[in-house]
Amino acid sequence: MSSHPPQPEPSSARGVAGPPLLNGRAGLNSLGAFLRARRELVTPQQAGLPEVGVRRVAGLRREEVAMLAGISADYYLRLERGRDRNPSVQVLESIARVLRLDDDHLAHLKSLVSEAPRPRGHRASEEETPPSGALKLLDSLAQPAFIEGRYFDILASNSLARALSPGLAVGGNQLRDLFLDPAEQALHPDWQDVTECLVANLRQSVGNDLDDPRLLELTGELSRASDRFRELWARHEVRGQRGGPLRIDHPLVGELTLNRERLQIDGAAGLKLVVYHPDAGSSDADKLALLASVLPGRSVPLAREPRRACDSLSGR
């Protein structure tokens, strides 16, 4: 079985809080936090600047970003400090070019300015209940499948999904399990990549809706307990999950590679049906069939009771 990073001691980060609160809102200067994090990831060489002398900051200096973006250093400083929340699209695109932002990161940057509408369709701190039709479809699938919420809560799952990973049982949360449960980490030979992908997808999912109590609760808990999560969350990576292969090292059938599809459920904002499936005729298909053969029998997929605002994640 592949080796995995050691589980961090929660006590090593007890002094770390969740997203900062200001005037009762989280991430009030989320634009500034994003700009700071991203410029620290760009080296002078990447920006085409000569590296002269000792640099006291990681990445680019504020004045270097401003110069390369064609704006004044004072104006860029106001952006980072939250004193100006209405930059033009042209300014944002110029800064994005300097910071080497791709389309996902640029879209996220634009969502953080004050005039951008906040995504208010459905919050994960409200009820997340899978539609009955989606549950019937889930029960009919012969592949591991589950329904996840906006923050990767497991809302429903079939028996083969639960056989593949106990973390896919209803009431679980994929983020918590991946960062805090050594048994779940051992299932993923590519644990580093999987965690990076999931956190980047969380950033994209929430956009500028950073004061959702569910988000504050989840990121606060993980920031205190996991050095890896705290590192990834601070990078402000933004990336959607686009399917692709997932390697799993299962204790019963060994290592197998499954394709992963995440399908939006109509009429249920933020809820997705996730299906794992092997290539037809592959050894992975044989291993999955072997795993299915030891199940006690197909069962109706479990669905969680509607969850009310601010229910604790710890009450699994």
Side-chain angles (χ1 to χ4, degrees), residues 13 16-21 26-27 151-152 173 175-176 179-180 198-199 202-203 206 209-234 313:
V16 179
L21 286 169
Y151 295 150
F152 305 108
N173 179 276
L175 281 164
R176 289 188 77 254
F179 284 102
L180 305 183
L198 213 59
V199 172
L202 177 63
R203 280 282 186 192
V206 301
D209 192 18
L210 296 173
D211 57 358
D212 186 340
R214 176 64 163 168
L215 176 68
L216 297 180
E217 178 188 42
L218 179 59
T219 57
E221 177 188 9
L222 294 177
S223 293
R224 288 187 293 270
S226 168
D227 292 338
R228 172 67 174 168
F229 177 83
R230 190 165 60 254
E231 171 198 344
L232 291 175
W233 190 244
L313 276 173

Side-chain angles (χ1 to χ4, degrees), residues 146-211:
F146 57 95
I147 295 174
E148 66 182 15
R150 187 183 183 198
Y151 295 150
F152 305 108
D153 295 306
I154 304 300
L155 307 178
S157 62
N158 62 17
S159 56
L160 189 50
R162 298 190 293 274
L164 194 64
S165 168
L168 296 179
V170 173
N173 179 276
Q174 296 169 82
L175 281 164
R176 289 188 77 254
D177 288 337
L178 276 169
F179 284 102
L180 305 183
D181 184 353
E184 183 67 21
Q185 293 171 7
L187 289 174
H188 297 275
D190 304 313
W191 181 82
Q192 296 276 349
D193 293 337
V194 172
T195 54
E196 182 177 344
C197 178
L198 213 59
V199 172
N201 186 235
L202 177 63
R203 280 282 186 192
Q204 184 184 63
S205 175
V206 301
N208 63 353
D209 192 18
L210 296 173
D211 57 358

Side-chain angles (χ1 to χ4, degrees), residues 83-102:
R83 296 173 181 170
D84 190 313
R85 303 296 302 278
N86 293 280
S88 68
V89 172
Q90 181 180 5
V91 166
L92 292 177
E93 291 178 346
S94 295
I95 293 174
R97 173 180 49 80
V98 175
L99 300 183
R100 304 169 64 87
L101 303 184
D102 59 19

Side-chain angles (χ1 to χ4, degrees), residues 4-292:
H4 299 277
Q7 179 65 21
E9 291 293 335
S11 60
S12 66
R14 292 190 186 277
V16 179
L21 286 169
L22 188 58
N23 295 332
R25 283 185 54 191
L28 188 61
N29 187 23
S30 52
L31 174 62
F34 179 78
L35 291 174
R36 284 193 300 274
R38 299 311 301 181
R39 71 174 169 84
E40 290 176 355
L41 298 176
V42 180
T43 66
Q45 296 93 327
Q46 289 173 324
L49 296 174
E51 189 169 3
V52 180
V54 178
R55 301 178 67 90
R56 294 180 295 176
V57 297
L60 296 178
R61 301 185 179 98
R62 294 188 184 96
E63 58 269 23
E64 291 171 336
V65 175
M67 177 190 68
L68 293 170
I71 59 178
S72 72
D74 179 67
Y75 181 60
Y76 182 79
L77 179 61
R78 294 204 306 271
L79 289 177
E80 274 207 7
R81 292 186 174 176
R83 296 173 181 170
D84 190 313
R85 303 296 302 278
N86 293 280
S88 68
V89 172
Q90 181 180 5
V91 166
L92 292 177
E93 291 178 346
S94 295
I95 293 174
R97 173 180 49 80
V98 175
L99 300 183
R100 304 169 64 87
L101 303 184
D102 59 19
D103 290 343
D104 284 342
H105 286 85
L106 176 57
H108 182 73
L109 173 61
K110 291 178 178 178
S111 79
L112 298 178
V113 302
S114 61
E115 68 267 19
R118 293 163 62 82
R120 294 292 301 163
H122 183 90
R123 280 188 157 194
S125 56
E126 302 167 357
E127 292 183 358
E128 288 188 316
T129 305
S132 60
L135 293 175
K136 293 177 183 178
L137 173 60
L138 178 62
D139 188 35
S140 72
L141 295 175
Q143 308 293 349
F146 57 95
I147 295 174
E148 66 182 15
R150 187 183 183 198
Y151 295 150
F152 305 108
D153 295 306
I154 304 300
L155 307 178
S157 62
N158 62 17
S159 56
L160 189 50
R162 298 190 293 274
L164 194 64
S165 168
L168 296 179
V170 173
N173 179 276
Q174 296 169 82
L175 281 164
R176 289 188 77 254
D177 288 337
L178 276 169
F179 284 102
L180 305 183
D181 184 353
E184 183 67 21
Q185 293 171 7
L187 289 174
H188 297 275
D190 304 313
W191 181 82
Q192 296 276 349
D193 293 337
V194 172
T195 54
E196 182 177 344
C197 178
L198 213 59
V199 172
N201 186 235
L202 177 63
R203 280 282 186 192
Q204 184 184 63
S205 175
V206 301
N208 63 353
D209 192 18
L210 296 173
D211 57 358
D212 186 340
R214 176 64 163 168
L215 176 68
L216 297 180
E217 178 188 42
L218 179 59
T219 57
E221 177 188 9
L222 294 177
S223 293
R224 288 187 293 270
S226 168
D227 292 338
R228 172 67 174 168
F229 177 83
R230 190 165 60 254
E231 171 198 344
L232 291 175
W233 190 244
R235 288 172 61 90
H236 289 252
E237 292 283 355
V238 179
R239 184 169 66 252
Q241 294 190 58
R242 298 182 174 89
L246 175 71
R247 288 201 303 156
I248 295 177
D249 195 353
H250 196 276
L252 294 181
V253 298
E255 187 172 306
L256 64 165
T257 299
L258 301 174
N259 302 297
R260 177 177 49 185
E261 313 298 335
R262 300 176 74 244
L263 310 173
Q264 177 65 48
I265 298 175
D266 289 342
L271 271 60
K272 290 183 171 61
L273 173 65
V274 183
V275 182
Y276 295 156
H277 60 100
D279 289 342
S282 65
S283 61
D284 301 310
D286 293 338
K287 292 177 182 179
L288 195 60
L290 177 61
L291 184 60

